[in-house]
Amino acid sequence: MADKTTENLERWCSGEGIDFINGEAEAAYKRRARRIADVIQLKIPDRVPIVPSFGMFPYLDNGLTCEEAVFDYEKAHQAAMKTLEEFEPDMFLGSGYAFPAPLFEALGYKQIRWPGQEIPAHYVYQFVEDEYVKAEEFYDHYLGDPSDFMLRVYLPRVCSQLTPLERIRPFAESFGYYLTMCGSYAYFGIPEVQEALKALMKAGEESLKWVSILGKQAEEIVSRGFPLFEGGESAAPYDLVGDWFRGTAGVMTDMYRCPDKLLAVMEKLVPISIKMGLDLAKDTGHPIIGFMLHKGADGFMSPEQFNTFYWPPLKKVMMGLIEEGFVPLLLCEGEYTSRLETIADIPKGKCIYWFEKVDWARAKEILGETVCIRGGVPASILFSGTVQQMKDCLKEVIDVVGKGGGLIVDCGLWFDEAKHENVKTMVEFTKEYGVYR
Amino acid sequence: MTENLITLLVELKEQDCLRVTGERLEAGEDPHKIVEDAREAMKIVGQRFADNVYFIPDLVYSGKILEQISEIVKPKLSQKSQPKRLGKFVIGSVAGDLHDIGKNLVSFMLDVSGFEVFDLGVDVPAQAFVDKIKEVEAEVLGLSGFLTSVYQAMKDTVEAVKTAGLRDQVKIMIGGGVMDDEVKKFSGADAYRPDAMAAVTLAKEWIGGA
Ligand code: B12
């Protein structure tokens, strides 16, 4: 009997439920999806798949500013579709990287600076990290009631428009009856809280607008014969704590000051992260679930710390997804060479590890029998290298990492600015040189 | 009973460090001795980092412990017998850049190597660098940047130092993720260095404390 991963990949490869524009598109879709399924399962495909992780590139390359891309969803969509047509990658994201800035503006969200607002119009939006909640405000509350923490502490802290929500009473106490509802719902009557609720409604409208465009776009992409990029997103529990609540230095010190609480919260985050991935992926029917790893790179913690705080909770999340037949795709940001042995401990043929910087030969040696590797093109070469440099570097990665399959060619990160001809070379040279005989 | 503050700090025993600091002050010890010990400990921490025994979290945490020791000791310190420092170093992440982990390590290593460091934080406008250099009469300026988009801010900062007439007084080095010798040329800085150890070595060469 086929395992769940195979079942899920086969369903995805079959293209069932897709309304293809013609037979050619249908055949192309099946070829592309098969290629990806093969490399995931460590079978030799017809050729090395090429999946450029377009960050803001489609917009900049098509004459938009980043500001236009994040404020005008329709323009972003048009630009993305042009990029699809021009490069014909084996999987494609659409315009999902151009986040809807108006949604965040409606909330007064502080964790991103937007192009054209705080930063120049041609810059990609920027994440603003901080210690948004202190350890004392975070651990016990989150362990006790994560939703309450999110609603009444975190969101009010990072969204200026939602600050009044600090004042409402915990929903866990909403038992009906006097004092609980009769009295405590008075907070929803005060003007500041009502303004906050209106901000949420406005954000909701923007969100709906954005996902509607993306939903239609997704149908268009697959109907033309291109599998989508991924089905959902999840994250490493350590990153969730560090990125959103405690900051890099904060979560680092928590490893010494309150290791047990940090571990407990991450344990709590495991089922939440699994569900987060599945909720989205079950809707989209796409087997790949992305992770962007931020805080576990070489140097960011000792090997012992990585083996205690970073990898075990992350592995639990991955296993939870694997058990349901989904394929974790780990974007390992930063250098990862010293982590290779640890992360090799995962079932065979069920994941994709995507590296930014790694000793590629060692990665192939250690992981080659276990997981599919993705990456190989440094952003710096895409940005300023020559076509010949592109070819040299592609040749090397295909020869070394692509030997016997198990490679998806890509840049090591979501790229924004890049020379058009270099991206073209990345795609075309891989299609030509990456054929297995 | 003299538990060794140096060992405790090197081993990152936060509570013990604070307790011993308090005990030593209460026993009437010269606070400068405590500061000296702490500095000695941080030197060892820095060495362990250079030797790949310690990692970024160890440095971050030791920094937090040191901060608290300083807070306890500071009110008791007399001005006069501050240990002599090698030279004054102003550092910060340039305008538009919020990365500070690398810069903090540089500050840290400079500090434990005997420099008086004025760390202006992140997203620092050119003018703030200029003001600080003037105020403290700094000898070296260190600019940190991790984004290609801040090459220009590097250049603008060097220009601002020039315009303020301070360029002869201060040597400028740059560093951080995407910086290199090309950016050094572009910005008009004096040198690029790839890491904290190299920054310290160069600063010593410049100031003559090598
Ligand atoms: C951690 C990190 C973040 C954290 C920063 C946390 C913090 N408090 O610093 C967060 C998540 C906030 C972040 C945000 C962003 N980041 Co960032 N980030 C990184 C990452 C992963 C590591 C950088 C780091 O701290 N390394 C650890 C240090 C200790 O290592 P190191 O660099 O070797 O350190 C030495 C040198 O830097 C040197 N040094 C440092 N300063 C100085 C100064 C002087 C004078 C000298 C001599 C030496 C020197 O000494 C250090 C110690 O030895 C890098 C990836 C990478 N591989 O570098 C991306 C990276 C720098 N980030 C990047 C980007 C794009 C961003 C964002 C724009 C992403 C976004 N869209 O939101 C924002 C920008 C925010 C802003 N305005 O600055 C890109 C930059 C690409 C580019 N070419 O411009 C990188 C390269 C990631 C990537 N590959 O895409 N980032």
Side-chain angles (χ1 to χ4, degrees):
Chain A
M1 200 191 75
D3 71 352
K4 275 200 163 179
T5 307
T6 309
E7 249 172 51
N8 214 5
L9 285 172
E10 288 306 318
R11 186 172 329 117
W12 179 61
C13 287
S14 76
E16 78 179 17
I18 299 174
D19 200 1
F20 291 104
I21 51 170
N22 55 33
E24 213 174 294
E26 179 168 359
Y29 174 94
K30 289 181 178 167
R31 256 197 328 273
R32 293 187 175 113
R34 174 63 56 202
R35 212 168 268 148
I36 302 289
D38 280 349
V39 286
I40 291 170
Q41 300 193 294
L42 306 171
K43 298 179 207 154
I44 300 182
D46 61 341
R47 71 156 163 79
V48 176
I50 166 76
V51 185
S53 43
F54 299 114
M56 288 312 230
F57 177 81
Y59 319 110
L60 297 169
D61 192 51
N62 284 301
L64 298 186
T65 60
C66 292
E67 179 184 13
E68 286 170 300
V70 296
F71 282 94
D72 190 330
Y73 317 148
E74 194 52 46
K75 272 190 190 160
H77 161 68
Q78 298 298 345
M81 295 312 282
K82 266 198 220 155
T83 296
L84 172 67
E85 218 166 280
E86 158 127 41
F87 295 101
E88 303 199 319
D90 286 317
M91 295 195 286
F92 189 62
L93 173 69
S95 54
Y97 197 83
F99 298 147
L103 183 165
F104 294 94
E105 290 202 320
L107 299 173
Y109 185 65
K110 300 172 192 162
Q111 284 176 293
I112 299 185
R113 307 206 280 191
W114 294 102
Q117 314 282 316
E118 301 95 329
I119 53 174
H122 61 283
Y123 282 20
V124 57
Y125 47 79
Q126 299 184 342
F127 180 59
V128 183
E129 199 189 84
D130 205 350
E131 195 172 322
Y132 288 99
V133 273
K134 301 259 166 279
E136 311 81 77
E137 301 167 307
F138 173 58
Y139 288 101
D140 291 338
H141 196 165
Y142 197 90
L143 283 169
D145 186 344
S147 294
D148 187 62
F149 169 82
M150 294 304 276
L151 183 62
R152 297 193 312 118
V153 179
Y154 174 67
L155 291 173
R157 202 65 65 84
V158 300
C159 300
S160 61
Q161 297 303 317
L162 301 186
T163 305
L165 295 185
E166 281 170 348
R167 301 171 64 177
I168 63 175
R169 302 311 308 150
F171 274 97
E173 298 167 10
S174 272
F175 288 112
Y177 226 156
Y178 69 101
L179 285 188
T180 51
M181 274 159 109
C182 310
S184 68
Y185 277 26
Y187 290 98
F188 289 111
I190 57 183
E192 293 85 351
V193 173
Q194 296 203 331
E195 284 308 313
L197 297 175
K198 280 183 205 151
L200 270 175
M201 286 165 63
K202 171 82 177 98
E205 282 165 23
E206 288 300 331
S207 172
L208 189 60
K209 232 191 271 174
W210 192 71
V211 298
S212 306
I213 290 184
L214 257 54
K216 269 218 300 283
Q217 176 188 66
E219 279 172 28
E220 197 179 326
I221 293 169
V222 291
S223 73
R224 292 208 214 160
F226 298 92
L228 294 171
F229 193 87
E230 61 179 23
E233 277 280 333
S234 187
Y238 182 89
D239 288 334
L240 289 174
V241 175
D243 289 351
W244 306 109
F245 310 127
R246 300 283 301 125
T248 305
V251 71
M252 280 177 178
T253 25
D254 293 346
M255 289 195 286
Y256 304 89
R257 283 187 179 154
C258 50
D260 297 337
K261 284 194 177 167
L262 174 57
L263 287 168
V265 155
M266 293 197 294
E267 197 61 39
K268 186 124 193 153
L269 278 162
V270 167
I272 295 174
S273 311
I274 295 173
K275 194 163 176 313
M276 184 165 93
L278 291 180
D279 280 350
L280 284 164
K282 282 187 170 157
D283 279 351
T284 56
H286 194 300
I288 298 176
I289 297 180
F291 289 66
M292 293 194 223
L293 307 185
H294 295 137
K295 296 184 157 61
D298 290 357
F300 274 72
M301 50 176 78
S302 70
E304 297 78 43
Q305 286 168 333
F306 186 80
N307 294 338
T308 309
F309 294 97
Y310 201 88
W311 177 245
L314 168 58
K315 186 179 169 187
K316 282 185 195 163
V317 177
M318 294 166 69
M319 290 306 296
L321 298 174
I322 291 172
E323 275 156 27
E324 294 293 316
F326 288 85
V327 176
L329 158 68
L330 269 50
L331 169 51
C332 304
E333 292 187 18
E335 167 100 36
Y336 251 72
T337 307
S338 78
R339 312 297 192 207
L340 292 172
E341 277 90 355
T342 304
I343 62 178
D345 178 26
I346 203 79
K348 187 177 160 167
K350 310 248 181 246
C351 303
I352 306 170
Y353 290 177
W354 176 8
F355 295 110
E356 178 185 352
K357 280 191 208 153
V358 76
D359 178 334
W360 294 97
R362 254 183 86 67
K364 180 70 174 177
E365 188 189 311
I366 295 171
L367 298 171
E369 306 278 299
T370 315
V371 297
C372 170
I373 296 172
R374 171 165 172 173
V377 180
S380 55
I381 299 192
L382 273 178
F383 178 69
S384 60
T386 62
V387 166
Q388 192 52 48
Q389 278 173 309
M390 280 296 302
K391 287 186 181 168
D392 293 344
C393 119
L394 287 162
K395 215 181 238 168
E396 179 161 352
V397 71
I398 292 171
D399 288 346
V400 174
V401 187
K403 199 165 172 219
L407 168 70
I408 298 174
V409 165
D410 189 1
C411 176
L413 47 93
W414 300 92
F415 63 95
D416 306 312
E417 280 174 277
K419 282 193 201 160
H420 187 92
E421 76 248 33
N422 286 355
V423 180
K424 197 88 187 155
T425 305
M426 168 155 98
V427 174
E428 268 156 26
F429 188 80
T430 304
K431 287 183 181 174
E432 188 189 298
Y433 186 76
V435 175
Y436 290 98
R437 287 164 235 279
Chain B
M1 66 118 244
T2 57
E3 272 173 280
N4 191 338
L5 182 63
I6 302 183
T7 316
L8 290 176
L9 182 46
V10 170
E11 295 303 326
L12 308 175
K13 304 283 182 231
E14 182 174 22
Q15 291 312 319
D16 292 332
C17 284
L18 303 183
R19 181 175 48 76
V20 168
T21 304
E23 284 169 6
R24 284 173 63 169
L25 281 177
E26 235 158 77
E29 201 182 322
D30 178 0
H32 289 105
K33 271 286 295 160
I34 300 176
V35 174
E36 241 166 69
D37 280 359
R39 191 163 302 288
E40 190 52 39
M42 294 309 263
K43 234 189 237 169
I44 302 173
V45 169
Q47 191 53 48
R48 288 196 181 181
F49 178 68
D51 294 342
N52 284 322
V53 175
Y54 271 2
F55 295 84
I56 298 173
D58 302 308
L59 261 62
V60 168
Y61 188 43
S62 67
K64 298 230 173 186
I65 302 175
L66 180 68
E67 239 169 59
Q68 296 175 76
I69 296 177
S70 308
E71 251 163 56
I72 304 175
V73 174
K74 225 177 226 156
K76 321 241 157 159
L77 281 179
S78 58
Q79 264 326 93
K80 55 178 196 318
S81 52
Q82 291 278 10
K84 197 174 150 352
R85 312 297 302 235
L86 286 178
K88 290 176 179 163
F89 198 117
V90 169
I91 189 169
S93 303
V94 295
D97 208 307
L98 305 174
H99 294 85
D100 65 0
I101 302 171
K103 172 202 57 97
N104 291 349
L105 295 189
V106 177
S107 289
F108 178 95
M109 295 305 280
L110 284 165
D111 186 55
V112 301
S113 307
F115 288 89
E116 192 171 356
V117 182
F118 301 88
D119 188 334
L120 304 184
V122 296
D123 202 1
V124 180
Q127 192 55 41
F129 281 113
V130 170
D131 293 345
K132 199 67 187 180
I133 295 168
K134 257 194 214 150
E135 179 197 328
V136 304
E137 297 178 1
E139 288 123 320
V140 186
L141 171 64
L143 302 178
S144 182
F146 278 77
L147 303 168
T148 23
S149 59
V150 301
Y151 290 164
Q152 188 60 40
M154 290 260 166
K155 187 179 171 128
D156 294 345
T157 308
V158 176
E159 289 292 325
V161 172
K162 227 185 253 171
T163 312
L166 298 167
R167 194 64 184 88
D168 296 335
Q169 166 195 330
V170 60
K171 288 271 204 181
I172 305 178
M173 64 168 92
I174 66 168
V178 294
M179 301 304 144
D180 57 19
D181 281 312
E182 284 304 310
V183 187
K184 181 211 92 174
K185 270 186 237 155
F186 170 77
S187 66
D190 298 304
Y192 155 77
R193 284 296 180 273
D195 60 46
M197 316 311 155
V200 171
T201 311
L202 180 65
K204 283 186 175 168
E205 276 168 30
W206 278 351
I207 295 186

